[in-house]
Amino acid sequence: MTAEEKRLKEAWNEKVPWHRWGPYLSERQWGTVREDYSEDGNAWGYFTHDQARSRVYHWGEDGLAGISDDKQQLCFALALWNGKDPIIKERLFGLTNSEGNHGEDVKEYYFYLDSTPTHSYMKYLYKYPHNAYPYDNLVHTNCERDRKAYEYELIDTGVFDQDRYFDVFVEYAKESPEDLLIQISVFNRGPAPAELHVLPTLWFRNLWSWQSKVKKPVLRRVGNAIHAVHAELGERYLHCEGGAPLVFTENETNNRRLFGVPNASRYVKDGINDYLVQGLPDAINPEQTGTKAAAHYRVTVPPGGSEVIRLFLTDQAPRAPSSGKGRNSSPFGAGFAQMLKLRQEEADEFYKSVLPAVLSADETNVARQALAGMLWSKLYYHYDLDKWLEERGSDPYQIPRKISPRNEQWHHMYNGDIISMPDKWEYPWYAAWDLAFHVLALSLVDVQFSKEQLQMMLRERYMHPNGQMPAYEWNFSDVNPPVHAWATIFLYRLDKLKNGTGDIKWLKSCFRKLLLNFTWWVNRKDRIGRNVFEGGFLGLDNIGVFDRSKPLPTGGFLEQADGTAWMALYADNMLEIAIELAMIDDDYEDMALKFLQHDAWITS
């Protein structure tokens, strides 16, 4: 058993919190449905990238190479400034849905290079130009092109010409569940020396402004560390090597900039940006306290050279150097490099045990980085639909009320979990049928996480009381191919093959909830009881001349061969699960007969 497999066993069987800290931060929270309180449901236009540096998010946070705890109370991410950009680079930029011939497109170059399933080791790369990032150029040029033209990419702007850019590598290594080593390595790929401001940033997600009875947390300076105090999370310390200046502000909205009204707080979310870019010393708190803080490293990197910045996040208070005991007396001694190297070697050992030995070195690298992308795409997803509807005046129990542009039938739903995302930029929300495929890839490295993901979508906090599974954030009531049962039996077989025995308790739990979902399909999508199914976002996904989830423009109904085929598969999968369960519990024999009949009816 490898060291990483031991950590997984400790995490799932012994509840050692190896998963508490991970890459649970989004790369785009702006422009998302959860942050949309518009009348018409235009999420992209309601909360823009330009507003993001100044406006507090409601339901999540975002950042470059970011991590957080598993409730996203305390967040850490990288911010950069090349001295020429109009703003600090704190989050990814991209086109909105209407800003070009290929909308909803991230215009950045970033790479998930490595991750273990407990996130004991992670590595990320961001490519940052020496010259000003061409925000306006990207938007205007793409808007001028029609759909027949190629999209205009960041590299097409010439900003990377002559290799005038930085490769910024971010590595995380866990010495223990609560001790995180952070190393930022900046490489200058260009032909001349270049200066870079590196701002490792620590902040609290703002819950105190909109949730009652939430005590406001605080960050303050203690020596060369940022001390974080949170009522629920407890205390944490971010040690910063080299005595870099520490700057503090508040994670509060800059109402003056955005809306022309006075600010509720003297210091605001974009205070560090204004201090650095605009040279406003009053934008940061001289008392060095707040809810958002950064260490300000200013490095000049020679051509072909590099600079390394190291930090240490821990729950232990710093000790006096004279004590000579524990890492916190000297967090950046020889032990730092040794621990980072050890976790890298353990990651190598783990993937050597996971990936087939017949793969070439290049194929192994592709597979490993693909899995790293899956693991980096976990996100803490928080969405209380009842609260969201109430805030926008769409509470279903209040009269009069506004009609919500989406999801008003899902007021029962409460999400607050680590979930595998399709990605954390274009789709920083879960999609239930995508998830069914994700879990099979993730089962290669963390089968327990995969099982919990499938089971989670069937919980009462997610599934509608009528038995429908939520589709995706833009419209939970939409209908996707019913592949959850397929993923369930597939994952069960994989787990049984690996461990010799299957998780019957888990399979029974999933089967019971899938019965509710199957019944919903039969009662809602088979309009006249002929086992021919209709409507929904099925088959070839978006490809169609009209939206099949809405009433037909011509009237009438659309009976779908693909929807009916998916239901035949659903019946087959439920039959297979019922037979597996009937082998040890004859109560399931009737269920096997039920789904054999369904399969015959649908087929005929």
Side-chain angles (χ1 to χ4, degrees):
M1 183 181 292
T2 66
E4 178 62 15
E5 288 171 319
K6 290 177 182 177
R7 281 188 286 270
L8 279 171
K9 185 176 180 181
E10 290 175 351
W12 294 116
N13 297 344
E14 303 168 30
K15 307 304 179 184
V16 179
W18 282 108
H19 289 106
R20 175 168 292 157
W21 296 91
Y24 309 140
L25 215 59
S26 180
E27 265 125 14
R28 178 179 69 84
Q29 184 67 13
W30 57 275
T32 58
V33 168
R34 283 168 292 158
E35 303 297 340
D36 176 25
Y37 290 86
S38 66
E39 296 293 330
D40 61 355
N42 179 9
W44 285 108
Y46 182 79
F47 200 134
T48 66
H49 175 270
D50 181 63
Q51 294 175 339
R53 71 179 183 275
S54 308
R55 186 174 176 180
V56 169
Y57 295 126
H58 203 136
W59 297 99
E61 291 287 347
D62 58 17
L64 297 179
I67 62 170
S68 76
D69 65 277
D70 56 7
K71 296 298 180 185
Q72 205 169 98
Q73 297 165 119
L74 182 62
C75 308
F76 173 90
L78 181 65
L80 303 166
W81 188 51
N82 56 18
K84 299 172 184 176
D85 278 354
I87 58 173
I88 292 173
K89 176 65 72 172
E90 294 182 272
R91 59 189 53 80
L92 297 185
F93 172 77
L95 299 185
T96 67
N97 192 39
S98 60
E99 284 183 335
N101 59 344
H102 297 267
E104 299 185 50
D105 185 32
V106 62
K107 299 297 185 184
E108 305 274 12
Y109 297 116
Y110 62 105
F111 304 86
Y112 304 126
L113 298 180
D114 209 357
S115 181
T116 58
T118 64
H119 311 296
S120 59
Y121 179 73
M122 298 190 294
K123 190 174 184 180
Y124 175 105
L125 168 62
Y126 178 74
K127 292 181 177 288
Y128 187 47
H130 292 173
N131 294 315
Y133 185 96
Y135 292 100
D136 292 339
N137 182 3
L138 286 166
V139 174
H140 292 154
T141 304
N142 275 288
C143 284
E144 291 169 358
R145 297 188 177 189
D146 63 26
R147 67 182 61 193
K148 296 179 182 179
Y150 287 109
E151 57 188 304
Y152 186 57
E153 298 289 13
L154 180 58
I155 200 167
D156 299 327
T157 67
V159 76
F160 288 100
D161 288 357
Q162 298 180 309
D163 293 334
R164 294 183 183 273
Y165 68 92
F166 299 101
D167 269 339
V168 184
F169 293 89
V170 182
E171 294 175 273
Y172 297 95
K174 294 182 182 179
E175 184 173 23
S176 75
E178 295 293 353
D179 295 325
L180 281 78
L181 289 68
I182 306 167
Q183 180 165 290
I184 303 166
S185 304
V186 181
F187 290 81
N188 179 3
R189 303 306 189 191
E195 184 180 68
L196 181 64
H197 298 257
V198 183
L199 297 119
T201 305
L202 191 70
W203 74 100
F204 287 110
R205 182 162 64 100
N206 188 330
L207 297 177
W208 57 91
S209 293
W210 61 280
Q211 285 190 8
S212 61
K213 300 179 181 179
V214 172
K215 184 177 180 181
K216 185 177 179 179
V218 64
L219 301 173
R220 61 172 66 92
R221 177 171 185 162
V222 177
N224 289 331
I226 300 170
H227 179 203
V229 181
H230 189 279
E232 182 179 340
L233 184 64
E235 298 185 46
R236 297 295 187 281
Y237 298 84
L238 180 66
H239 298 263
C240 308
E241 186 180 27
L246 304 180
V247 289
F248 292 77
T249 188
E250 298 286 349
N251 188 18
E252 300 274 7
T253 297
N254 187 343
N255 291 304
R256 188 181 303 279
R257 173 183 177 255
L258 297 176
F259 311 115
V261 299
N263 288 325
S265 170
R266 180 176 178 181
Y267 303 103
V268 288
K269 184 177 179 180
D270 53 9
I272 296 172
N273 178 88
D274 292 351
Y275 163 76
L276 191 59
V277 178
Q278 299 181 25
L280 301 177
D282 293 339
I284 58 172
N285 191 341
E287 296 182 4
Q288 297 191 302
T289 185
T291 48
K292 179 180 178 180
H296 181 198
Y297 292 91
R298 187 171 182 173
V299 297
T300 299
V301 190
S306 64
E307 291 286 339
V308 174
I309 294 165
R310 302 191 299 180
L311 306 105
F312 183 55
L313 181 64
T314 178
D315 62 347
Q316 298 297 313
R319 298 169 180 166
S322 59
S323 69
K325 296 180 180 179
R327 167 170 294 283
N328 293 314
S329 62
S330 180
F332 305 110
F336 189 102
Q338 292 168 1
M339 180 54 61
L340 189 64
K341 185 172 185 288
L342 175 63
R343 292 295 183 253
Q344 290 171 333
E345 291 172 347
E346 289 173 349
D348 293 340
E349 176 192 35
F350 174 73
Y351 279 106
K352 189 176 181 180
S353 72
V354 167
L355 297 174
V358 296
L359 297 180
S360 68
D362 191 50
E363 290 168 336
T364 298
N365 186 55
V366 170
R368 179 167 172 174
Q369 194 170 340
L371 286 164
M374 295 293 299
L375 291 165
W376 269 92
S377 292
K378 293 179 183 179
L379 174 66
Y380 174 72
Y381 184 90
H382 184 206
Y383 200 10
D384 181 346
L385 263 293
D386 192 56
K387 180 71 173 176
W388 183 78
L389 289 167
E390 176 191 327
E391 289 171 340
R392 61 182 300 117
S394 303
D395 186 335
Y397 296 107
Q398 295 297 321
I399 298 177
R401 68 183 182 92
K402 297 177 184 177
I403 300 300
S404 172
R406 58 172 63 91
N407 294 332
E408 65 177 2
Q409 300 300 320
W410 292 80
H411 58 87
H412 72 284
M413 179 185 277
Y414 182 89
N415 301 162
D417 302 277
I418 304 299
I419 309 178
S420 173
M421 300 290 137
D423 71 76
K424 294 198 292 188
W425 194 86
E426 187 178 359
Y427 298 109
W429 52 80
Y430 65 85
W433 89 300
D434 297 63
L435 187 73
F437 296 95
H438 297 178
V439 297
L440 300 181
L442 287 166
S443 70
L444 291 170
V445 292
D446 193 346
V447 69
Q448 190 62 35
F449 178 75
S450 295
K451 288 192 285 187
E452 291 209 348
Q453 292 288 286
L454 286 179
Q455 196 168 23
M456 179 175 59
M457 288 294 147
L458 300 170
R459 291 176 185 160
E460 65 281 357
R461 292 191 290 111
Y462 285 76
M463 181 180 276
H464 196 280
N466 65 16
Q468 184 178 10
M469 289 178 59
Y472 40 77
E473 190 178 73
W474 281 96
N475 183 5
F476 285 124
S477 293
D478 219 333
V479 180
N480 288 143
V483 293
H484 215 80
W486 168 82
T488 299
I489 189 60
F490 201 137
L491 183 59
Y492 173 84
R493 298 289 189 208
L494 289 174
D495 189 32
K496 186 176 181 179
L497 185 65
K498 183 177 180 180
N499 297 314
T501 57
D503 190 342
I504 291 293
K505 182 179 179 181
W506 171 80
L507 190 63
K508 282 184 176 181
S509 175
C510 291
F511 183 74
R512 287 193 293 268
K513 292 296 186 70
L514 286 166
L515 280 172
L516 302 177
N517 182 243
F518 187 92
T519 302
W520 176 86
W521 272 91
V522 170
N523 291 336
R524 294 294 294 274
K525 291 299 174 181
D526 178 18
R527 181 173 49 90
I528 54 177
R530 292 176 55 240
N531 288 285
V532 178
F533 294 84
E534 60 192 36
F537 213 29
L538 300 170
L540 294 177
D541 203 14
N542 289 353
I543 303 172
V545 294
F546 50 82
D547 187 345
R548 290 178 288 174
S549 299
K550 296 180 180 178
L552 298 182
T554 58
F557 298 91
L558 179 66
E559 295 179 334
Q560 296 180 217
D562 54 358
T564 303
W566 282 118
M567 283 303 294
L569 176 67
Y570 198 171
D572 284 345
N573 300 143
M574 293 295 279
L575 170 62
E576 187 176 358
I577 296 173
I579 291 172
E580 182 71 19
L581 295 174
M583 297 295 287
I584 59 169
D585 187 342
D586 57 15
D587 285 345
Y588 288 88
E589 290 177 2
D590 288 346
M591 289 291 100
L593 179 60
K594 169 185 170 65
F595 287 106
L596 180 61
Q597 290 174 329
H598 272 293
D599 183 58
W601 290 330
I602 295 169
T603 301
S604 60

